[in-house]
C-alpha cells in the first residue's frame, strides 16, 4: 500500500503558507466595505466559475442567513450562479462571457458591490462583469490567486491567495469567506436578538 504522507504534508504546508502570506489589511477592508454597504442599503453581487461558483453560493448563504438572521437591518445579496435558466439563456443567446455582466445591468446601482472570484484572475465573464461594475460606480472586490491577473487591477479591494494551485487557492478563498462571516457577526453582535444567536 502506497504511503501518501509526503504528498499530504506538501498540500497542507501549501495551504498553511498561503494563509500566512495573506494581506490582513485587504481582508479588514473587505469587512469594512461590507459594513458600510449594509448601512447605506446597498446590494452585494457575487459570482465565479467552477469551484469559485461554489464559493460564491456559499458566501451568498452566509450573508443571507448566517450573518443576517436576527438583525433588524439585513445584508442584501444576490449570487448570479444560482439561476441556471438565466445563465444558460444568456450563454446560448449571447455568450458565456456575458452571464454575469448582463444580470448586473438589470440590478446594479452606484454604491452597490460586486465580489468576483477567479483563481486565475482572468476569467472573461468575471472580468467583463467587474469592468461593468467599476464603470457604474460599484465597489469592486476580487478574490484571486496565481499572479492576480486582470482582476487585481480592477478591484478596489483584492484578496490575493499567492499560490499556483487551483485546489489550494479555492481552499483559502473558502477560509476567507468563513473568516469574513465571523468578523461581521462579531462586529454586529450588539444588534442580534438574543434568541437568534444565543
Amino acid at each position: 500500500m502506497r504511503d501518501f504522507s509526503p504528498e499530504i504534508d506538501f498540500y497542507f504546508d501549501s495551504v498553511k503558507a498561503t494563509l500566512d502570506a495573506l494581506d490582513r489589511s485587504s481582508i479588514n477592508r473587505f469587512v469594512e466595505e461590507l459594513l458600510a454597504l449594509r448601512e447605506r442599503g446597498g446590494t452585494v453581487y457575487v459570482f465565479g466559475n467552477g469551484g469559485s461558483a461554489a464559493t460564491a453560493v456559499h458566501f451568498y448563504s452566509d450573508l443571507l442567513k448566517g450573518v443576517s438572521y436576527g438583525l433588524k437591518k439585513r445584508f442584501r445579496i444576490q449570487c448570479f450562479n444560482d439561476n441556471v435558466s438565466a445563465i444558460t439563456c444568456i450563454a446560448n443567446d449571447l455568450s458565456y462571457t456575458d452571464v454575469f455582466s448582463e444580470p448586473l445591468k438589470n440590478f446594479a446601482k452606484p454604491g452597490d458591490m460586486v465580489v468576483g472570484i477567479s483563481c486565475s484572475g482572468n476569467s472573461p465573464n468575471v472580468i467583463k462583469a467587474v469592468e461593468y461594475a467599476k464603470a457604474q460606480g460599484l465597489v469592486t472586490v476580487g478574490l484571486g490567486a496565481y499572479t492576480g491577473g486582470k482582476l487585481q487591477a480592477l478591484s478596489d479591494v483584492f484578496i490575493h491567495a499567492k499560490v499556483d494551485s487551483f485546489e489550494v487557492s479555492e481552499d483559502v478563498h473558502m477560509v476567507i469567506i468563513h473568516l469574513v462571516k465571523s468578523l461581521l457577526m462579531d462586529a454586529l453582535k450588539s444588534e442580534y436578538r438574543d434568541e437568534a444567536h444565543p
Side-chain angles (χ1 to χ4, degrees):
M1 181 176 176
R2 178 177 171 183
D3 180 8
F4 288 97
S5 296
E7 289 85 355
I8 294 168
D9 288 343
F10 178 80
Y11 191 93
F12 284 173
D13 287 344
S14 295
V15 172
K16 288 184 282 189
T18 306
L19 287 169
D20 286 344
L22 285 172
D23 175 23
R24 273 56 173 168
S25 65
S26 62
I27 299 171
N28 198 84
R29 187 171 170 206
F30 185 24
V31 174
E32 290 177 338
E33 291 285 359
L34 284 165
L35 290 169
L37 181 84
R38 171 179 170 266
E39 284 305 306
R40 64 178 179 264
T43 301
V44 182
Y45 305 98
V46 60
F47 41 81
N49 297 289
S52 296
T55 303
V57 172
H58 197 108
F59 184 53
Y60 165 77
S61 66
D62 275 355
L63 250 64
L64 184 80
K65 187 270 177 187
V67 178
S68 291
Y69 180 66
L71 291 175
K72 185 174 182 180
K73 187 179 186 68
R74 295 181 171 220
F75 282 91
R76 298 167 55 88
I77 184 166
Q78 289 195 43
C79 178
F80 290 156
N81 292 106
D82 271 346
N83 192 323
V84 175
S85 60
I87 288 174
T88 53
C89 79
I90 294 168
N92 184 69
D93 297 348
L94 301 173
S95 78
Y96 190 69
T97 304
D98 297 303
V99 296
F100 302 138
S101 57
E102 283 300 309
L104 271 181
K105 294 174 184 178
N106 289 56
F107 300 109
K109 304 182 300 297
D112 285 346
M113 176 190 290
V114 295
V115 179
I117 308 173
S118 170
C119 294
S120 70
N122 293 312
S123 303
N125 53 4
V126 172
I127 295 304
K128 187 167 185 177
V130 175
E131 286 175 337
Y132 175 80
K134 199 165 189 67
Q136 299 303 311
L138 279 71
V139 177
T140 56
V141 177
L143 272 64
Y146 289 83
T147 63
K150 297 176 183 177
L151 184 59
Q152 184 168 18
L154 289 168
S155 298
D156 298 316
V157 181
F158 187 71
I159 303 176
H160 193 180
K162 296 178 181 178
V163 62
D164 294 345
S165 164
F166 279 99
E167 294 81 10
V168 172
S169 58
E170 288 174 358
D171 294 336
V172 170
H173 288 166
M174 187 60 75
V175 170
I176 292 165
I177 291 306
H178 283 155
L179 171 60
V180 167
K181 174 190 176 185
S182 177
L183 294 172
L184 288 170
M185 292 178 73
D186 185 65
L188 298 168
K189 60 186 175 185
S190 65
E191 297 185 32
Y192 286 115
R193 300 192 311 270
D194 289 341
E195 66 270 23
H197 294 275

